[in-house]
Amino acid sequence: MAIQQADKLLKKHKDLHCAKVLKAIGLQRTGKQDEAYALAQEVAALEPTDDNSLQALTILYREMHRPSCGSWWWWQRLLLNCWSDDNGAKGLLWEWIFAELVTKLYEAAVKKVPNSEEYHSHLFMAYARVGEYKKMQQAGMALYKIVPKNPYYFWSVMSLIMQSISAQDENLSKTMFLPLAERMVEKMVKEDKIEAEAEVELYYMILERLEKYKEALDVVRGKLGEKLTSELQSRENKCMAMYKKLCRWPECNALSRRLLLKNSDDWQFYITYFDSVFQLIDESWTPPPEDEHSLEGEVHYSIEQAVKFIEERITEESKSSRPLRGPYLAKLELIRRLRYRGCNDEYKLGDPEELMFQYFKKFGDKPCCFTDLKVFVDLLPSSQYTKFISQLLEVIPLSATAENEIALPADIKALQQHLCVVQLSRLLGIYHAMDKKQKLTVVRELMLRYRHGLEFGKSCLKTELQFSDYYCLLAVHLLLDLWLEGEETAVWQCLTLLEEGLSHSPSNAQFKLLLIRIYCRLGAFEPVAELYSSLDAKHIQHDTIGYLLTRYAESLGHYAAASQSCNFALRFFHSNQKDTSEYIIQAYKYGAFEKIPEFIAFRNRLNSSLHFAQVRTERMLLDLLLEANISTSLEESIKSMSLSPEEDDIPWKDLRDNRDLTVLFNWDPKDRDISEEHRKLSLEEETMWLRIRSLTLRLVSGLPTLSHTIQPKNSEKTAENGVSSKIDTIRSLLQQLEAAVDSGKKFLEQKIQYPVLGPPPTRMAGFFSNGSCQCQTSLFYLVSDIYELDTNGLEDSAEIQERIGNSFKSLVERLTDLFNKCKGDLIEVRDGTLKTHPNLLENLVFFVETISIALWVSSYCDNVLRPFKSNLQKKKKKKKESSVAMPPVFTHFLDYVAELQTLTSNVIDHIKGLEIILTALKLEELSLKDTLLLQEEKKFTKTVQGKVQSSYHHSVQEIGELLKKRLDTIKKLKI
């Protein structure tokens, strides 16, 4: 109807630009993109100047260049080829194209209406989208000349700063762009034209980047600094930052002391106060005899003064209307620093154990008490741990209803106190030192306390957490310890307790995250997808915790869920460029200049994300696995993705590990917790695995480029930039793959064990141990041999043919070995104990992937051999000879294909057998004869078992369906 109405208008007014654009929007939305684009270009060529037409064209361009489902991989490829560099001028190409088109529109409009503030403003923002900082500077000044408003002038100044940030030459940045920006602001200062806080912030930013810290300090302390009012203590914080840069410790100390007198609960100033005191002591600083101590007032320059100051803060706190934690924690912090310097005993600050006990009595009912004390537990001697915990327990009001029963809290306050003690017990390693029987007793006690604590949360909403949730989590952590020690039933109890906890606290993210990790460890992905979805991950969380989902989806045989999880992640990364462009524009509009470099750094950090590179690579491999030579040919699939073996679009040097490895709560001691070494090793492992996967993808993408061509013998080097260069690329990639595999094997020789709640290991160990790696590498070497046969012809190639025949035999043997490692039951019931074998699932998934690569290589082989056989048959007919000997390579290939077919059929039969077993198990009433189980937990145990079995069942179904399709492809291989 919109198109019809636009047509009616155009019959009366042929040159009505806005009507044409509105019609184009209608055409675009009805799927007629070519017509819409032609109409839009027709209007754009006329360079319209009316605001309606320009706005409508902007809307149309944005819609035309939004990635749709149908063009997913085309846009994906544009992204890969357009990494956002430092100047932000590149990024998602569709956003860049959109901005370019809009830029041209407003450039034309500005030329025709040079005094239009609105068009100049739109032009500036269009330049901002693509990071054209030089043009932004010019546009800002042109706008200021038309309408002399301060914001426009400072837009131009900010554009100079952005040129300095993006400049490759740091010297150029500090000698040209920043000094020019400084002079421009100084001009406004001299003319007394500075009006807004944002302008002062910008001046401060310039001076800080020029390392003119004294001048920046003068600005903040002077008249201009009075405008810094939007943030609490903004002026003081900036002064403090400059004092630190200038190493003016007296001023640092005096300012932090003064701020603590105003608010003795501000922790950041305690840290600065202590840092400055000890710096002054090390420098042997003394105050001047006559003048003031410093610009900021009195300075404390000795330990005695610091001790007295902290004691005074505690005295003042006692008079306060509300309890303040800062002074008490500051005393512990001072003791720690003095102990580090070896002079703690001289100042009689008190026993850390007693101070922590007093702190607990005062703040033990606050959830923050544990995290406060956690920082200082290293002040306690290990011999005092048990005594300290007992001391804390004595002051908690617990009561038992009968003899030999567990004493329980009567209110929430007592419950919080007891929870704090339990968390400290775990942190101090008391639970780790227990034997199995003791741990099981503690688990029962914790769960009893958890269920009792639910009484206090009866009025809680579904979105609120239960007060006693941590008891359940701690019980699960103890059971995880038992599982790692070899107690198989403990993992099922973990799942049971977590499912029970989730039923009472459906919004508890910790329950969900822990369930995700444990289900994945057991090889059950089906419940994980729903759990992750219910987390409702927002924005950056798709990068920080998305690895929990994408690491396991494909590797456990849930191909449909894997595609979906990859899509979720990629959608976030794809929208990042557009979103950050909007943030940057808003920052310019509202004068939040200091945020603009942050937004650009954020965008670049996401574009260089390790997780982003992994998801892209795995998604493309997955798409090939699910589609290539099934619904479309390998060549068409690769073409639709615009894959090229020559292109490596992963920014290896700039890869950023944005994973949040501490998202799961952890109460383990330091020696059992995730360390920096674990993080470093995990990043190294992830990068190695990504390199192997990326090279595999590029090698597969090179297969269609080696199409059979009739060339003269030994012409390999003559076809520069032709087929011969393609085989050189394949061989080069194969060498790189070998090197990556060698690096991976050396890495795995370290036998690194990450904490159970630490980073999940990659699939690299399984890839090497089950033989997939050797199979896939051999297949790519076979490609090189086939190409050599194609180039040399069948005559005088007996050696090559024999080599190819041996490769075929070796491959079948290796694939058979890989299949043997897939055999066995996924779920095993022994004496009422349920044991899972998730490694069999991962091996099956690797088998499917390897057999797919074998088929793609076989298709290439088929394409090479078929023309040879056809030519031989033609010669045979011409010569009318009945006994022309066929080269052995044909027999080798046909035997190889037949064996592949038999092997694949055997695997499919094996999978059918697994399905039957799993279905039978699902129908049985499984009950674990485990002393850990309590009566109320049985229904959750049944739920957990059902979820694992159902997940396994769906995994083998999806794997089986995919293998059947691959078997159909094998049957078509006939030369």
Side-chain angles (χ1 to χ4, degrees), residues 789-845:
L789 178 69
D790 190 17
T791 307
N792 289 281
L794 294 176
E795 295 176 9
D796 303 324
S797 61
E799 186 184 335
I800 300 171
Q801 291 186 50
E802 186 181 353
R803 198 160 68 231
I804 291 170
N806 291 335
S807 295
F808 284 147
K809 287 179 185 176
S810 173
L811 275 167
V812 172
E813 287 171 5
R814 284 177 173 168
L815 284 166
T816 305
D817 287 341
L818 177 52
F819 170 45
N820 289 333
K821 287 174 183 172
C822 302
K823 290 179 179 178
D825 292 330
L826 292 170
I827 297 179
E828 193 178 1
V829 183
R830 285 185 188 171
D831 302 323
T833 302
L834 204 60
K835 183 170 178 59
T836 60
H837 300 283
N839 60 305
L840 298 178
L841 264 184
E842 294 214 32
N843 288 348
L844 270 172
V845 170

Side-chain angles (χ1 to χ4, degrees), residues 408-410 415 447-456 468:
L408 298 168
L415 184 146
M447 287 310 296
L448 180 69
R449 292 185 179 282
Y450 165 69
R451 292 177 184 120
H452 170 261
L454 293 175
E455 294 176 12
F456 302 121
S468 59

